[in-house]
Structures are given as structure tokens and as C-alpha cells.
Amino acid sequence: MAVVSTKAIVFNTIKYSDSSLIVKCYTLEDGLKSYLVRGVLKSKKGGIKVGYFQPLTQLNLVANHSEKRSLHNIKEVHIANPYKTIYQDIVKQSIVMFLAEVLTHAIKEEEPNKHLFSFLETAFSWLDIHDKVSNFHLLFLLNLTQFLGFYPDLSEKEKLGFDLMEGNFTDDTSQKNIIYKNDFYQFKKLLGINFDSIENVSFSKQERQQVLKIIVRYFELHLDGFKTPKSLQILEAVFS
């Protein structure tokens, strides 16, 4: 058993008994960890509040991490970076619900990855302070693939299509998982850019939905057991 002080980002919560939660977090020091937070659903003054565990909240934790257990204990918790807009804005809330679900399915490693943690922390802070965010989730997902090991190979960008299975450009547009023509053109707009450039990328509603479907398909092809997130429908409704 080790007492660890770490930054953490909440991925999801599951109700456990009438008064407790199991909280899955991605931590800076130890990667993915699940915590049993007892009594948090019974309101009491002081102590740990349920509001700390909304999706993608950034926390500072002091916790007991045990190699023998799958559920760990939180001793202290504070919000590290209080969001100003994310939980008040219906569009940002929908994006956050969707991305939290994707991250829960996509990240399985228990070991730490400080570059990935820094990417998540920076991305969600960016989302909180910017207004034009309708393409944020598209670029977030695509750039997340850098840390998951299947970012598109950007050599040979002049070819006619992109092979979602192989993750590279190709002139053979007859195969099953190859995008070309308008799908390919829209997908390419997101490659090699950062969040500050996202405001300059324009999609129609149909194009945005189509690009999102392509990226979700890309995840399904490269991650074992990855399923289309249930919250995708909510996100599509918000943007339609």
C-alpha cells in the first residue's frame, strides 16, 4: 500500500450501493485507477462531494494505491482546475459526456503516460475557455490516436484515398475500409492541426456528422472491443 499524491481526470462513475460511487480516473502518477468513494451520495457537510466526480473534472488526489486491489481509497480530493463553462453549456456538456465515454473504452493501460495526461489536461482546459467548439471533439479524437498508436501516417497525402484499416493514404479506392472523394477531403482538413487552428476549419452539419462517423469507425478498427459510444446520439442531436 502506497500513499500517492497525484493529479487525476475523472472518466466515469458507477453507483455502488445507495450511498457510494466507484470512480474511474486517469492519474498522472499511476495511469488508470478506480476508487471506491463511500458515503459520497449521502449529503453531509464537509467531506468529499459528489460534484467532484463529474466527467472529465480535473482533480488533485491523495490516495491509497494497493497493488493487490482493483479498488483504491481516496484520502483527500480537491478540484485542480475548476471549469467555468463546461457544465453550464449544453454543447460542451454533450461533448464532454461523449469524450468521457470514448476515453473509458479506449484507454486500458494501468501504467502512467505523462504525455497523454498532459494532452488531456490541456485539451479540456482549452475547451473550457473557448467558444467555437463545434469541431473540438473531432480534432480531440484524431489527436488522441497519437497516444493510442494509430495516428494517420501523413506521408503520401497526395494519394486519392485513406485506408482506415492500415492508417495510411492509398490510390486503391476499391477496398472496404477506404474513404475517398468528399469523405476523404473532409477528413483531411483535421490532419496535422492543433486546437487553436480548429476555428478555421468549416464543416456543414452533415459533413461534421460524417467525419465523426469515420473517426469512430477508425477507432473500432484499431481498438479491440471498442463500441460506438451510446452518447453519440445525444451529440448528434445537439449539433443537428
Side-chain angles (χ1 to χ4, degrees):
M1 178 88 71
V3 177
V4 177
S5 180
T6 182
K7 290 179 170 181
I9 295 171
V10 177
F11 279 5
N12 74 350
T13 58
I14 299 165
K15 195 174 173 190
Y16 178 83
S17 78
D18 287 341
S19 62
S20 303
L21 286 177
I22 294 171
V23 181
K24 184 185 272 190
C25 294
Y26 192 69
T27 72
L28 177 63
E29 298 300 329
D30 282 332
L32 215 51
K33 289 287 171 201
S34 293
Y35 300 96
L36 177 56
V37 189
R38 294 184 186 279
V40 69
L41 299 176
K42 291 266 168 75
S43 62
K44 56 184 186 291
K45 289 191 173 158
I48 296 175
K49 297 180 177 64
V50 70
Y52 293 163
F53 304 114
Q54 294 187 80
L56 305 187
T57 302
Q58 297 181 33
L59 302 173
N60 286 321
L61 296 179
V62 179
N64 291 320
H65 286 177
S66 167
E67 288 183 13
K68 294 177 181 162
R69 292 189 188 153
S70 59
L71 288 176
H72 309 276
N73 288 326
I74 293 174
K75 289 162 72 82
E76 290 175 39
V77 58
H78 304 282
I79 292 182
N81 176 15
Y83 297 137
K84 295 174 180 66
T85 66
I86 282 177
Y87 303 125
Q88 278 78 47
D89 181 309
I90 186 69
V91 171
K92 290 184 181 184
Q93 267 186 330
S94 304
I95 289 173
V96 158
M97 271 177 58
F98 171 71
L99 293 180
E101 194 179 347
V102 170
L103 288 166
T104 301
H105 291 315
I107 296 177
K108 305 291 187 198
E109 299 78 39
E110 302 241 337
E111 61 273 3
N113 180 335
K114 292 189 175 175
H115 294 297
L116 171 55
F117 190 92
S118 177
F119 166 73
L120 298 176
E121 189 179 44
T122 306
F124 303 139
S125 298
W126 190 97
L127 176 65
D128 186 47
I129 61 172
H130 287 79
D131 297 327
K132 294 183 180 173
V133 298
S134 54
N135 299 325
F136 172 86
H137 55 297
L138 304 177
L139 185 60
F140 176 90
L141 291 179
L142 203 52
N143 285 356
L144 178 64
T145 65
Q146 292 179 30
F147 304 95
L148 301 176
F150 56 97
Y151 190 75
D153 176 352
L154 297 184
S155 57
E156 306 187 293
K157 269 208 306 202
E158 70 289 341
K159 292 199 166 176
L160 295 175
F162 181 77
D163 186 333
L164 293 171
M165 192 78 204
E166 299 300 325
N168 58 18
F169 295 92
T170 180
D171 282 329
D172 177 4
T173 56
S174 64
Q175 301 301 315
K176 184 182 171 192
N177 286 302
I178 289 173
I179 54 168
Y180 59 102
K181 295 190 176 169
N182 192 46
D183 283 356
F184 176 55
Y185 173 70
Q186 302 304 335
F187 177 74
K188 261 172 82 170
K189 289 179 183 177
L190 296 167
L191 294 173
I193 67 169
N194 63 20
F195 289 117
D196 287 333
S197 311
I198 196 75
E199 294 179 2
N200 306 322
V201 178
S202 63
F203 295 111
S204 70
K205 285 171 188 169
Q206 287 76 19
E207 286 162 355
R208 186 179 295 112
Q209 288 199 358
Q210 185 57 21
V211 170
L212 181 55
K213 283 185 176 138
I214 290 166
I215 296 172
V216 168
R217 178 72 184 135
Y218 192 44
F219 272 68
E220 286 172 342
L221 288 169
H222 289 269
L223 293 176
D224 280 347
F226 186 85
K227 297 182 183 67
T228 301
K230 294 189 177 87
S231 51
L232 180 62
Q233 290 173 309
I234 298 166
L235 194 63
E236 288 181 340
V238 166
F239 282 120
S240 64

